Amino acid sequence: MTFTLVNAVMLGAAALGAWLALRGVPAGRRGPWLRPMLLMLAGLAALTVVFDNLMIAADLFDYGDQHRSGVQLGLAPIEDLAYPLGAAILLPALWVRLRDKGTRR
């Protein structure tokens, strides 16, 4: 199984989770979420690239060549950026959902 396939499943699950979390939340209670989501994505992606490169350079782990797409950012495969993207999709939606539940009490 390739990292791309694993990432596609994970991102699909994150998108489904975000959709389920935001379902039923009135549009007026969702708030401005796009800018914080993009800022969080930029920060998580930058940290992922920096620390993945450091850990790979220190020989803490290695990715099998047969499972990667071949596109890299330094030593780190591009597929590693799917995890911050999944977090940037799912976490703001959960935040809005949990904030909405707290407001309705």
Side-chain angles (χ1 to χ4, degrees):
M1 182 178 291
T2 65
F3 289 120
T4 305
L5 180 59
V6 171
N7 290 340
V9 171
M10 187 269 308
L11 288 173
L16 177 63
W19 179 75
L20 290 172
L22 292 175
R23 212 177 62 174
V25 176
R29 291 187 185 220
R30 291 183 189 169
W33 55 270
L34 185 59
R35 184 176 174 162
M37 183 183 83
L38 292 175
L39 288 171
M40 179 178 74
L41 176 58
L44 287 174
L47 289 170
T48 299
V49 169
V50 168
F51 286 105
D52 275 8
N53 276 292
L54 289 173
M55 290 186 290
I56 292 168
D59 249 354
L60 295 177
F61 59 88
D62 185 47
Y63 292 96
D65 288 336
Q66 68 274 16
H67 301 294
R68 299 186 307 179
S69 67
V71 179
Q72 292 188 194
L73 298 169
L75 299 173
I78 193 85
E79 292 92 345
D80 269 359
L81 292 178
Y83 304 107
L85 179 59
I89 291 170
L90 184 58
L91 292 178
L94 290 176
W95 180 270
V96 167
R97 178 62 171 201
L98 293 173
R99 186 185 66 191
D100 182 60
K101 278 188 174 187
T103 306
R104 284 197 234 169
R105 286 185 185 173

